[in-house]
Amino acid sequence: MAASMAGTCRYVSLHGSFILLRRTRLYLTLKSKFHCTAPAHNGLLFTLNKRGILKNSFPEDAAQDRLPRLLQSGAQTVYCGFDPTADSLHVGNLLAIIGLLHFRSAGHHVLAVLGGATAQIGDPSGKTSERERMSAEVVEENTRSIRESIQRIFTNHEVHFQDNSKKLGTVTVLNNLHWYKDWSVVGFLSEAGRHLRMGTMLSRHSVQTRLKSTDGMSLTEFTYQMFQAYDFHHLNQIYGCKIQLGGSDQLGNLMSGHEYIHKVSGEEVYGLTLPLVTSTVGDKLGKTAGNAVWLNRNKTSPFELYQFLVRQPDAIVKHYLKLFTFLPLAEVERVMEQQREDPEKRLAHKRLAAEVTKLVHGKEGLESAKRCTNALYHSSVQALEEMSDEELQQLFREAPFHELLLEPGTTVVDACRSVNAIPEGPRGYQMVLAGAVSINHMCVDKPEQVLIPKLHILSNGLSLLKVGKKNFYIIKWLSL
């Protein structure tokens, strides 16, 4: 369950879903870049397109003509799915959440659908081989973790980024296992399978790519698009959902959902795709590529997320400010102008890092990231003193953490030897004399110097010992 929300918002459980309740209003979104009249340039779709958040629409003609009018007519319901194939989402998934946040800010209702069922099937889109089978227990635990993460991000957005004068739509977090768990195989195939055509399913790019590969495609993976199509149909019937968001690699699955609904009910629904977030060399950011930056702090700390964004190349920072922040476009231009005036300060990178870290980890997470940054890169003793044990261990993830009894007369060389930071005997002693050791960013070159509280031992009882350039040791001192 997420933290309590501001104002009248709260999460409640309903038939396996978690709903963020809040009064909603009709939001006239006018129209977008998608053909329309002059007022279109004030609309939600136009804004999302201008920020680079939208890539394609399906069916193209209908979406460009009718969808803006549908959004203008009143609050609509939009959904995006997230398969819990890991215990955390990553930066590559964040854009989809941000897409939902933009719709919610415009007064529309949003559904975040966790694939407790489909994660056990495996989406072949963008994959070169079949996923390893996951147990139901692992999927359940992953689902719980991802639900908490999504709820946290929606909470942070409302608390830190939302204009209080706007009334938001509702947020509902669902698990598709709840509408599949009572189906039999025969029943589901009889109900859903008759509305899908093999020729169309076989023509999908993701299917064709896998069929031509050495490993081919299993029947399990082939049925994935059928389950995603039925998801859209179920959400359309139960929640009145007419719009699905997905990455551009999900276009085939979006098309299957549209075709399914069109055959069953004849209702017009729409798919909107988002660009895939890629690295500087064009690789998709995600767990499959092995370069994931996670959204859960136990896998990627707020500091690591902050630094990942601060280190982005100059050429991409403006694009990321548009995609991953809620800064008005005029503000983005102003930030970039400041960057051009003084590139060395990297103001745009720091603004990007601050905005995203606060969205993902909240104000406390951003403050933690800044403390860690100051402690590591600016040699700030004050920042070290303000850091918790957990922050220090996250910051120096590979550094040994030792708890030692502080005995009277403990010297610099005693401390070093107690944590095996230097060799025994004359060689280790000589390393201290040569200035190879520092404590709390201060060089110590007197081996027999007794440790001094507030100098070598910070007020939080910690010492950060460094030997050479990269070997860190964290010492937590226990009093006698």
Side-chain angles (χ1 to χ4, degrees):
M1 190 69 67
S4 60
M5 300 293 292
T8 60
C9 295
R10 63 190 186 278
Y11 285 105
V12 298
S13 177
L14 179 63
H15 304 305
S17 66
F18 287 77
I19 304 176
L20 176 59
L21 299 178
R22 185 171 181 146
R23 292 179 300 164
T24 62
R25 72 182 179 113
L26 300 183
Y27 186 91
L28 302 183
T29 58
L30 301 179
K31 301 169 178 131
S32 70
K33 77 143 189 183
F34 310 154
H35 322 292
C36 286
T37 55
H41 300 291
N42 297 319
L44 173 62
L45 296 181
F46 176 79
T47 299
L48 294 181
N49 180 72
K50 198 168 183 180
R51 299 186 78 96
I53 293 174
L54 293 185
K55 186 173 180 66
N56 293 306
S57 59
F58 182 85
E60 187 173 3
D61 292 340
Q64 291 182 354
D65 180 40
R66 300 173 199 163
L67 182 54
R69 289 201 295 268
L70 177 67
L71 292 170
Q72 186 180 16
S73 69
Q76 301 300 316
T77 300
V78 184
Y79 105 89
C80 186
F82 305 88
D83 277 348
T85 52
D87 58 1
S88 173
L89 298 177
H90 50 77
V91 168
N93 303 122
L94 184 58
L95 189 58
I97 299 175
I98 286 175
L100 291 178
L101 288 168
H102 278 288
F103 274 92
R104 187 191 178 212
S105 292
H108 301 292
H109 311 304
V110 299
L111 309 174
V113 179
L114 306 182
T118 44
Q120 298 179 60
I121 303 297
D123 184 1
S125 302
K127 307 295 184 296
T128 57
S129 60
E130 187 167 1
R131 293 181 186 275
E132 185 177 341
R133 184 179 179 185
M134 302 177 65
S135 69
E137 293 74 20
V138 170
V139 172
E140 182 180 2
E141 180 59 27
N142 290 350
T143 301
R144 180 200 60 78
S145 179
I146 290 174
R147 178 190 291 123
E148 292 176 355
S149 181
I150 289 175
Q151 291 173 340
R152 182 185 72 245
I153 292 172
F154 272 93
T155 299
N156 289 338
H157 175 259
E158 181 167 350
V159 171
H160 301 299
F161 297 95
Q162 184 58 37
D163 182 351
N164 291 331
S165 67
K166 293 183 178 181
K167 295 179 181 178
L168 304 174
T170 59
V171 177
T172 309
V173 182
L174 299 163
N175 182 349
N176 67 7
L177 182 62
H178 291 286
W179 56 85
Y180 287 119
K181 64 182 179 180
D182 295 326
W183 277 103
S184 67
V185 175
V186 173
F188 181 68
L189 287 174
S190 176
E191 172 68 26
R194 68 180 65 253
H195 300 295
L196 297 168
R197 292 293 172 264
M198 288 293 297
T200 303
M201 295 175 71
L202 284 166
S203 69
R204 303 296 187 216
H205 176 72
S206 59
V207 174
Q208 284 293 309
T209 301
R210 289 296 301 282
L211 288 176
K212 294 174 182 177
S213 69
T214 303
D215 294 335
M217 171 180 270
S218 70
L219 176 61
T220 301
E221 283 187 302
F222 181 68
T223 63
Y224 185 90
Q225 59 182 300
M226 180 168 68
F227 282 91
Q228 186 157 336
Y230 187 82
D231 282 350
F232 200 175
H233 167 68
H234 175 84
L235 298 172
N236 176 255
Q237 293 296 301
I238 303 302
Y239 295 91
C241 178
K242 295 182 179 180
I243 305 167
Q244 180 182 359
L245 296 183
S248 58
D249 59 348
Q250 294 293 308
L251 182 58
N253 292 324
L254 269 65
M255 292 166 68
S256 295
H258 174 273
E259 291 163 3
Y260 185 99
I261 293 170
H262 188 71
K263 285 183 179 179
V264 172
S265 66
E267 189 164 359
E268 189 68 70
V269 295
Y270 308 92
L272 296 172
T273 66
L274 313 167
L276 299 180
V277 182
T278 59
S279 69
T280 53
V281 295
D283 293 332
K284 177 182 174 182
L285 295 184
K287 53 187 176 295
T288 303
N291 57 0
V293 176
W294 303 97
L295 302 185
N296 284 10
R297 68 185 302 159
N298 63 329
K299 293 174 74 74
T300 297
S301 70
F303 165 76
E304 290 169 322
L305 175 63
Y306 184 92
Q307 289 300 321
F308 166 76
L309 294 162
V310 164
R311 293 170 182 166
Q312 290 303 306
D314 294 350
I316 207 169
V317 68
K318 180 178 180 180
H319 180 56
Y320 276 9
L321 280 168
K322 291 180 178 180
L323 289 181
F324 291 116
T325 79
F326 298 92
L327 297 175
L329 293 177
E331 176 70 4
V332 171
E333 293 298 335
R334 189 182 72 81
V335 171
M336 293 309 301
E337 180 59 32
Q338 292 177 330
Q339 173 93 350
R340 286 188 288 271
E341 290 174 357
D342 196 348
E344 295 300 318
K345 289 186 177 180
R346 298 178 70 80
L347 296 176
H349 300 74
K350 292 176 182 177
R351 186 67 180 273
L352 170 67
E355 296 287 314
V356 176
T357 303
K358 187 160 64 172
L359 175 66
V360 175
H361 294 295
K363 184 178 179 181
E364 182 278 328
L366 175 58
E367 291 173 348
S368 174
K370 289 182 175 180
R371 278 195 298 273
C372 292
T373 298
N374 288 332
L376 184 60
Y377 295 118
H378 303 294
S379 301
S380 171
V381 174
Q382 180 181 351
L384 280 175
E385 286 187 311
E386 293 172 351
M387 291 173 67
S388 65
D389 295 2
E390 180 186 14
E391 285 176 335
L392 270 171
Q393 291 180 69
Q394 288 177 344
L395 177 59
F396 303 98
R397 196 177 292 273
E398 304 301 324
F401 185 92
H402 298 270
E403 290 187 336
L404 299 179
L405 193 63
L406 181 59
E407 298 178 341
T410 299
T411 65
V412 169
V413 74
D414 291 336
C416 292
R417 286 173 174 163
S418 295
V419 298
N420 298 315
I422 59 174
E424 291 289 342
R427 182 163 169 257
Y429 197 91
Q430 185 61 38
M431 288 175 66
V432 179
L433 282 173
V437 176
S438 69
I439 299 178
N440 301 332
H441 300 308
M442 178 183 65
C443 179
V444 287
D445 56 7
K446 296 178 181 178
E448 302 298 337
Q449 182 176 8
V450 175
L451 298 182
I452 301 172
K454 296 185 180 181
L455 181 65
H456 302 114
I457 303 169
L458 302 176
S459 58
N460 55 4
L462 294 170
S463 296
L464 179 64
L465 174 65
K466 185 174 74 168
V467 179
K469 293 183 178 180
K470 297 182 179 180
N471 299 310
F472 288 94
Y473 304 81
I474 302 169
I475 302 173
K476 176 77 171 181
W477 293 102
L478 306 177
S479 299
L480 285 171

